[in-house]
Amino acid sequence: MKNYDHNKIEKKHQAAWDKKKIYHAKNGGKGKRFYGLIEFPYPSGAGLHVGHIRSNTAMDIISRKRRMEGYNVLYPIGWDAFGLPTENYAIKTGIQPEKVTKQNTDMFRKQLKSIGFSFDWSREVNTTDPKYYKWTQWIFLQMYKKGLAYKSKTFINWCLNCKIGLANEEVVNGKCERCGGDTEKREKEQWMLAITKYADRLDKDLDDVDYLEKIKIQQRNWIGKSEGSEIEFSIKNSPEKIKVFTTRADTLFGVTYVVLAPEHELVNKLKPQISNWNEVEKYILDVKKKSELDRTAEDKEKTGVEVKGIKAINPANWEEVPVWIADYVLVNYGTGAVMAVPAHDERDFLFAKKYNQEIRQVVAPLFITTEGESAIRKDQPFVKRDTIVSIVKHWSEDKYLCLMWKTQNWKTFVIGGTDGEDPHIAGAREIREETGYQNIKFISTLGRAHAQFYAPHKKENRWANVVGAYFELIDGKKEDTSDNEKNLHDIVWLTKEEVEKIIDKEEAVIFWNNMLGKDQAYTNEGILVNSGKFNDLSNVDAQKEITKAVGGKIVTKYKLRDWIFSRQRYWGEPIPIIHCEKCGYVPVPEKDLPVTLPKVKSYVPTDNGESPLAIMHKWVNTKCPKCKGKAKRETDTMPNWAGSSWYFLRYTDPKNNKELASKKALRAWMKNGVDWYNGGMEHTTLHLLYSRFWHKFLYDLKLVPTSEPYMKRTSHGMILAEGGVKMSKSVGNTIDPKDIVKLYGADTLRIYEMFIGPFDQAVSWSTESIIGSRRFLEKVWRISGNSFASKTDKELETLLHKTIKKVTEDIESMSFNTAISAMMVFINEVEKTKSISKKDFELFLQILSPFAPHITEELWISKKSIHVSKWPKWDKKKVIDSNFKIVVQVNGKVRTEMMIDSDMNEEIIKKQALEDKVIMPWIEGREVKRVIYVKGRLVNIVV
RNA sequence: GCCCGAGUGGCGGAACUGGUAUACGCGCACGACUUAAAAUCGUGUCUCGUAAGGGAUGUGGGUUCGAUUCCCACCUCGGGCACCA
């Protein structure tokens, strides 16, 4: 047998597959179909990356398996070729982007072919091809016609380095996502796409697709759906109103001020009434000057100024509250104004502390005792009581008064009922009665809480509405207390540390912390207090009730913003709009599409932020399609998310010049959407969301059969360099797949990248480890050169069928690493026993073939390609061992193993275990309490 | 701060639904073949202990006959979001 010469074999079969077109998807026919999709690559000058190979191989394995299972498979490839790197290269070198793109795609194509992917190369698409972007432009025009594409003067994120407007999504921590340079806010007219109109559906329809849960979560977070209320605050002596958005309408009675975003339109409208306009205006200018980075800086100390002369009126209690402007309120979320409830919102709390605003509690926490002697007794009614907890400080020392109860295991502050009295009166009375101290000074209340517990001394469930109060004794003057009180508890003075050790009731702890000034916003659920007729309602129920009572509206808001769609760049799809002096914006007639990019001399964007296209007067100046008058073309281009928002549709019918794809082709391939789409987590919030949005739009136009583009979405982990750091050119730790293919072969590289670790997790590259994959393939090669047995050894046959089962199932769950491990185990076993039939070995080659398509094709005997052969089925009878090993444990510790036959029943096995020589000494002289048998696994003897 | 995910040998990692922890691979050590080296093959490889046996899956508790797996608290790392009311 010849040596395993991967170079020769791989080239030979790649050429043969191309010639025989075995991976071409058939358009006609009735059989079952499978559409497997990977994110089409951006053909960068750096060439194919090992990361591309990992994700492409995974879907290649799945596609190859589907083909062998009899599916008509579409596994296409194309180029997402518009974009900044190519343009920047053009700026630097002056070489036309088309030329660079052509070079790069040629290189990528060659490299991808050298890995042996089963792409249908006849359906290659390229987003920069005018025949392709004609339809990108066409879709834009449909959006324009439906009012979803509009021009708007907005603050955009401007990258000072790229000289380009960025979408919110492209700004990371105030820096440009692409170049890492500084960004600033600039006001500019931009084309926008109204993705927010689809926000609700983009959220809701996630229920119906099979995406990894973490992908759904990320999408949902990004969309940021939030249900709440819009409530209007009148302004004193003005017809204007402040509309706020809140998710906590239940806390309306706790509003102590109202905050507007500095950019809020009311600020200017109310100018005549504002008595400190200079101060307000200065603050607004300061905020504008602040870069995005400063505004989101880490310490984020909140700032703001009060708008004097303006008072808002709380619709719940007609209280007048001050109005502030502060930049912690965002103009473009909700209504740009919030009601501040410092007691129950952390941001408002911090702001209130800094600017000395009132903090008013309206939600009391509810503490339920469920353990110990005070645990509530189920099925008993609650007796409601108003109670008070008084913290009493010593007249001269830093000590506090506590009661040690004699009748039950309670250690408390001074407690008692209030009988409807004010806290300072009720508290003082209780202190006198229970402790005898006479000269008491009321300092402050400490908040409210509800507590449910069982009172053993009264034998009843209590529901206490507790108020906390803080008192100081003026002197030690003390009178005798009644015998009754004396028998109830002892009085002790404790230091702070001692108090903290013994006080365990949660409401007491809260009051204690409040007394010490360690208070914080309470944002959890609870019972309403200080809220007029809504008192005692649960805060959740109160949200709707209070909204209704003040004439508010229940509304849903989203974090998602409309998509800034224009770029001031050359290398993108021209936006097909004409500006006419008379008619305004006029869409380019569909028959004139595509609007192609003109050839320009310089690709440098202009300093005033215009695209290089703006100085192409010949191209820019045109006639208005409507009035035939003087007009100019739009010089902004589309972002490179445009072409990738619908490319998967084009694959179904890539050469169609009349439609973006024929209905027939779409019905055939997209009947349920793309069956399986794998890509990177980095595209979860942008590409995935954008393309879902476009697809839903096309669905509404009845152009595509489903409202969701992708039925199933999975994601791969990144490949990191050795040592777990990112691969990067500048560090010089990148791996060129070409070198690996040359040295070890494409099959080895494929196996290695699938074996390297769990597919969905990031893994570190290790050149040292590749040899293992190569050795595995060499063993396969060597075995095929041996003479085969007429019949496969019985145990080996069982292992083969187990392996077929495991590989079949592992591919579906993308557990490629364990599938390969199982095949390695099998091959190791074959080497040991050396008796496998030719037929059985071929079954093995078949399950290996999706992973290593070249070597298996070479070793496959039949004239027809192994890749069109039928996927092996495991034999249910043959995956069960006739006898196997189980372990025997004593008290959960393994003591011995024994062989049993599959037909032995439980009683016999248990008996055999108990009589085992090794086991006997372990159970001798001890009582066998239980014997547990787990089928096919173990016997556990409990003594 | 919030939301995900993950912590297992020297390394990458495996373990079904709670049932022999460390499969498979790399590396390492020793041996065989060789004048030698590479390649290949074989044996060994969590840890303490001569052994019997004990201890180990980030830490500390809990549930269970039995926990890497379930529950509670905490620590570390990775990813996402980040003043979204």
Side-chain angles (χ1 to χ4, degrees):
Chain A
M1 180 116 191
K2 285 172 287 178
N3 283 339
Y4 171 31
D5 180 353
H6 58 265
N7 277 319
K8 213 165 129 194
I9 292 168
E10 290 176 357
K11 286 214 181 74
K12 180 172 90 186
H13 291 300
Q14 283 159 13
W17 295 334
D18 250 1
K19 205 173 148 200
K20 288 187 204 151
K21 304 181 179 175
I22 65 167
Y23 304 128
H24 282 206
K26 289 172 277 299
N27 262 338
K30 274 198 175 152
K32 39 189 190 173
R33 290 164 182 271
F34 176 78
Y35 186 171
L37 184 67
I38 47 153
E39 286 163 351
F40 59 164
Y42 176 79
S44 76
L48 203 65
H49 181 265
V50 286
H52 290 121
I53 295 176
R54 190 179 192 205
S55 56
N56 294 11
T57 304
M59 195 48 77
D60 193 48
I61 289 166
I62 292 161
S63 297
R64 285 176 180 278
K65 174 166 177 264
R66 287 284 185 281
R67 254 181 233 111
M68 291 170 79
E69 286 169 334
Y71 287 82
N72 180 8
V73 170
L74 174 57
Y75 184 38
I77 182 76
W79 318 107
D80 186 16
F82 274 129
L84 276 180
T86 303
E87 179 160 343
N88 288 338
Y89 186 76
I91 290 169
K92 232 195 275 170
T93 61
I95 303 174
Q96 286 171 7
E98 287 100 318
K99 227 176 185 175
V100 179
T101 301
K102 170 96 179 27
Q103 278 170 14
N104 289 350
T105 52
D106 285 349
M107 172 176 62
F108 261 69
R109 192 181 303 107
K110 200 176 143 203
Q111 285 196 319
L112 286 171
K113 285 194 173 184
S114 79
I115 312 294
F117 295 124
S118 63
F119 295 128
D120 180 349
W121 285 100
S122 71
R123 292 170 184 260
E124 202 179 315
V125 302
N126 185 330
T127 54
T128 64
D129 180 349
K131 287 188 192 122
Y132 179 93
Y133 69 69
K134 169 181 175 175
W135 297 106
T136 313
Q137 292 174 335
W138 184 84
I139 296 169
F140 176 86
L141 285 184
Q142 309 313 307
M143 289 200 166
Y144 181 80
K145 283 178 192 164
K146 294 281 177 190
L148 290 173
Y150 63 96
K151 208 158 194 194
S152 164
K153 195 163 195 174
T154 52
F155 284 98
I156 61 152
N157 305 291
W158 183 261
C159 173
L160 297 163
N161 185 28
C162 302
K163 295 177 186 167
I164 188 173
L166 303 169
N168 288 324
E169 289 86 334
E170 291 168 310
V171 180
V172 179
N173 289 335
K175 300 271 183 187
C176 171
E177 185 198 44
R178 290 199 168 269
C179 73
D182 285 333
T183 63
E184 63 174 32
K185 289 267 175 197
R186 273 202 194 173
E187 202 170 30
K188 229 180 164 328
E189 283 253 300
Q190 298 285 330
W191 284 99
M192 311 281 289
L193 293 186
I195 190 172
T196 50
K197 292 222 166 105
Y198 281 75
D200 189 43
R201 285 164 69 190
L202 287 168
D203 181 286
K204 214 174 94 216
D205 291 353
L206 285 171
D207 287 339
D208 305 326
V209 290
D210 179 17
Y211 290 7
L212 287 184
E213 202 48 39
K214 60 176 172 179
I215 296 175
K216 286 191 186 183
I217 290 169
Q218 266 197 39
Q219 290 242 328
R220 288 220 158 94
N221 286 347
W222 197 264
I223 296 164
K225 186 174 177 171
S226 154
E227 312 213 5
S229 312
E230 274 181 1
I231 293 171
E232 286 187 330
F233 282 63
S234 316
I235 295 170
K236 195 183 173 189
N237 300 327
S238 165
E240 300 290 345
K241 290 185 167 180
I242 298 173
K243 194 194 266 179
V244 303
F245 172 70
T246 179
T247 55
R248 292 296 303 273
D250 54 305
T251 62
L252 188 56
F253 285 84
V255 172
T256 53
Y257 58 97
V258 167
V259 193
L260 302 177
E263 303 90 342
H264 198 287
E265 52 167 20
L266 266 183
V267 180
N268 262 316
K269 271 194 194 161
L270 295 171
K271 186 175 168 182
Q273 283 179 62
I274 299 174
S275 58
N276 61 338
W277 177 252
N278 283 345
E279 197 189 354
V280 169
E281 191 180 29
K282 184 175 174 298
Y283 180 73
I284 293 172
L285 287 174
D286 281 353
V287 168
K288 230 179 229 174
K289 257 189 263 162
K290 265 196 237 175
S291 69
E292 191 69 1
L293 196 61
D294 293 338
R295 214 169 148 170
T296 55
E298 274 177 40
D299 47 8
K300 282 187 284 195
E301 171 100 6
K302 293 185 184 3
T303 63
V305 293
E306 184 177 351
V307 183
K308 292 193 176 139
I310 307 286
K311 292 280 180 199
I313 296 168
N314 185 337
N317 55 13
W318 311 111
E319 253 180 48
E320 287 177 16
V321 293
V323 176
W324 287 68
I325 57 172
D327 70 350
Y328 81 91
V329 175
L330 308 173
V331 70
N332 46 11
Y333 180 76
T335 59
V338 304
M339 57 183 225
V341 186
H344 304 293
D345 180 281
E346 274 161 34
R347 293 150 300 177
D348 298 340
F349 182 84
L350 286 174
F351 193 81
K353 282 268 171 185
K354 180 171 174 185
Y355 292 103
N356 215 10
Q357 298 294 295
E358 189 196 339
I359 298 169
R360 187 189 301 167
Q361 183 191 22
V362 288
V363 179
L366 170 63
F367 299 114
I368 303 170
T369 308
T370 55
E371 273 170 25
E373 60 170 356
S374 304
I376 52 167
R377 306 289 199 264
K378 277 171 193 155
D379 311 321
Q380 268 194 44
F382 283 102
V383 176
K384 288 204 176 186
R385 283 195 72 194
D386 291 330
T387 63
I388 180 160
V389 170
S390 302
I391 298 177
V392 181
K393 195 182 178 200
H394 195 269
W395 59 94
S396 63
E397 295 173 63
D398 189 20
K399 284 191 173 171
Y400 301 85
L401 192 54
C402 289
L403 306 179
M404 314 300 271
W405 291 67
K406 293 174 179 170
T407 48
Q408 62 253 46
N409 186 24
W410 281 6
K411 296 169 177 100
T412 68
F413 294 118
V414 179
I415 59 173
T418 62
D419 299 332
E421 294 159 302
D422 281 348
H424 64 278
I425 297 171
R429 178 175 46 75
E430 290 291 343
I431 294 165
R432 284 188 195 105
E433 277 177 22
E434 294 188 16
T435 71
Y437 288 106
Q438 295 300 313
N439 288 332
I440 305 160
K441 191 174 149 206
F442 170 76
I443 307 294
S444 65
T445 57
L446 299 170
R448 281 188 177 275
H450 280 246
Q452 293 180 344
F453 58 94
Y454 182 75
H457 58 301
K458 297 279 163 66
K459 294 205 165 67
E460 64 187 25
N461 271 344
R462 286 271 176 86
W463 184 337
N465 179 352
V466 196
V467 62
Y470 177 41
F471 296 89
E472 285 176 9
L473 294 186
I474 296 162
D475 54 37
K477 188 183 171 207
K478 195 174 171 207
E479 286 179 9
D480 217 16
T481 53
S482 68
D483 287 348
N484 186 23
E485 292 290 345
K486 278 182 194 150
N487 290 333
L488 272 178
H489 37 63
D490 290 326
I491 297 161
V492 290
W493 286 102
L494 300 177
T495 63
K496 275 183 186 160
E497 290 74 25
E498 287 166 339
V499 168
E500 278 162 18
K501 253 182 224 150
I502 64 150
I503 295 296
D504 54 359
K505 292 234 181 228
E506 288 173 283
E507 63 273 18
V509 172
I510 285 204
F511 298 147
W512 175 255
N513 283 334
N514 286 353
M515 189 271 294
L516 293 175
K518 286 194 274 183
D519 49 337
Q520 41 187 308
Y522 178 75
T523 56
N524 293 328
E525 293 181 1
I527 309 281
L528 257 54
V529 296
N530 296 326
S531 297
K533 63 176 180 179
F534 299 98
N535 278 348
D536 293 343
L537 271 180
S538 95
N539 77 304
V540 178
D541 296 338
Q543 286 176 5
K544 271 187 194 142
E545 303 250 348
I546 292 183
T547 303
K548 217 168 87 189
V550 298
K553 245 185 5 196
I554 303 284
V555 292
T556 305
K557 299 278 179 191
Y558 301 90
K559 282 197 235 175
L560 190 68
R561 313 277 157 81
D562 275 349
W563 176 6
I564 298 170
F565 196 67
S566 31
R567 299 295 123 99
Q568 294 69 42
R569 280 287 178 161
Y570 172 79
W571 195 228
E573 302 89 343
I575 290 176
I577 294 284
I578 289 167
H579 303 232
C580 170
E581 287 168 12
K582 257 199 272 171
C583 316
Y585 295 123
V586 182
V588 172
E590 286 176 20
K591 67 176 171 51
D592 294 341
L593 293 181
V595 178
T596 52
L597 280 169
K599 292 208 172 10
V600 300
K601 283 207 185 89
S602 163
Y603 302 96
V604 184
T606 60
D607 280 328
N608 61 9
E610 300 251 39
S611 148
L613 293 173
I615 47 169
M616 295 296 299
H617 302 296
K618 243 193 190 162
W619 183 82
V620 169
N621 293 316
T622 185
K623 270 191 285 187
C624 169
K626 246 193 201 161
C627 71
K628 309 294 171 200
K630 259 194 185 169
K632 283 177 190 288
R633 285 189 190 282
E634 171 63 59
T635 60
D636 280 359
T637 52
M638 300 188 196
N640 83 321
W641 307 108
S644 58
S645 287
W646 71 283
Y647 73 110
F648 48 93
L649 300 173
R650 189 66 177 172
Y651 284 140
T652 64
D653 192 8
K655 307 225 160 61
N656 196 325
N657 211 22
K658 294 205 180 84
E659 303 164 89
L660 56 92
S662 76
K663 286 253 166 69
K664 203 180 142 204
L666 288 169
R667 265 202 307 270
W669 290 111
M670 295 287 297
K671 203 172 134 207
N672 303 308
V674 169
D675 292 291
W676 196 332
Y677 189 19
N678 185 73
M681 277 313 280
E682 70 274 22
H683 290 128
T684 303
T685 45
L686 306 182
H687 162 62
L688 210 58
L689 204 62
Y690 291 152
S691 59
R692 288 181 62 223
F693 161 48
W694 277 39
H695 198 80
K696 283 182 185 304
F697 171 70
L698 294 174
Y699 175 71
D700 291 347
L701 296 183
K702 301 195 163 51
L703 293 173
V704 294
T706 58
S707 71
E708 279 291 329
Y710 321 115
M711 207 163 76
K712 177 172 178 146
R713 167 82 183 191
T714 51
S715 77
H716 54 255
M718 270 204 301
I719 298 188
L720 304 168
E722 306 203 27
V725 291
K726 250 191 174 164
M727 276 194 194
S728 86
K729 245 184 169 173
S730 56
V731 182
N733 57 5
T734 54
I735 300 290
D736 191 338
K738 276 198 301 263
D739 302 337
I740 310 289
V741 171
K742 204 170 158 203
L743 195 59
Y744 295 104
D747 283 341
T748 299
L749 179 58
R750 291 169 61 112
I751 294 271
Y752 172 66
E753 289 210 18
M754 291 297 103
F755 185 61
I756 189 169
F759 182 68
D760 59 344
Q761 275 169 43
V763 288
S764 306
W765 183 268
S766 165
T767 299
E768 202 179 56
S769 299
I770 298 172
I771 189 69
S773 303
R774 169 74 187 195
R775 282 178 190 152
F776 166 60
L777 293 180
E778 277 179 358
K779 281 185 203 172
V780 175
W781 182 266
R782 213 179 310 134
I783 288 165
S784 74
N786 295 342
S787 52
F788 290 103
S790 61
K791 200 160 184 298
T792 306
D793 173 86
K794 187 95 197 298
E795 276 179 35
L796 189 62
E797 190 186 40
T798 302
L799 183 62
L800 172 63
H801 283 265
K802 279 184 175 172
T803 308
I804 294 172
K805 181 170 189 281
K806 179 141 184 70
V807 171
T808 303
E809 290 168 353
D810 280 358
I811 289 174
E812 294 307 313
S813 61
M814 301 189 117
S815 310
F816 305 109
N817 54 335
T818 50
I820 292 168
S821 156
M823 291 190 282
M824 285 174 167
V825 170
F826 177 75
I827 279 301
N828 289 346
E829 205 52 40
V830 173
E831 281 222 311
K832 246 185 254 168
T833 57
K834 294 199 188 344
S835 60
I836 185 168
S837 71
K838 195 167 161 186
K839 219 179 100 214
D840 280 343
F841 186 68
E842 282 178 13
L843 288 177
F844 170 77
L845 287 180
Q846 285 181 293
I847 59 169
L848 177 61
S849 69
F851 296 83
H854 309 89
I855 187 173
T856 49
E857 184 81 314
E858 179 71 16
L859 299 177
W860 182 250
I861 329 290
S862 160
K863 270 184 193 148
K864 263 195 159 180
S865 168
I866 191 172
H867 304 297
V868 295
S869 68
K870 213 169 151 209
W871 185 255
K873 281 210 167 78
W874 70 89
D875 188 331
K876 269 186 197 156
K877 276 176 243 152
K878 287 180 185 164
V879 295
I880 300 162
D881 293 291
S882 55
N883 57 37
F884 45 87
K885 193 172 69 182
I886 63 167
V887 294
V888 183
Q889 301 179 329
V890 178
N891 285 347
K893 287 217 190 313
V894 179
R895 296 303 175 192
T896 189
E897 296 170 347
M898 58 187 210
M899 293 302 295
I900 59 164
D901 293 331
S902 55
D903 52 4
M904 279 164 85
N905 76 25
E906 189 174 333
E907 289 314 310
I908 297 172
I909 293 165
K910 283 182 181 173
K911 194 162 164 260
Q912 193 177 317
L914 286 166
E915 286 165 1
D916 190 286
K917 267 195 292 210
V918 187
I919 296 303
M920 295 287 271
W922 287 103
I923 54 178
E924 215 162 50
R926 293 201 265 180
E927 184 200 351
V928 176
K929 285 184 192 150
R930 271 171 81 184
V931 181
I932 296 154
Y933 172 63
V934 182
K935 207 175 165 233
R937 297 268 178 205
L938 54 74
V939 175
N940 188 15
I941 301 164
V942 187
V943 296

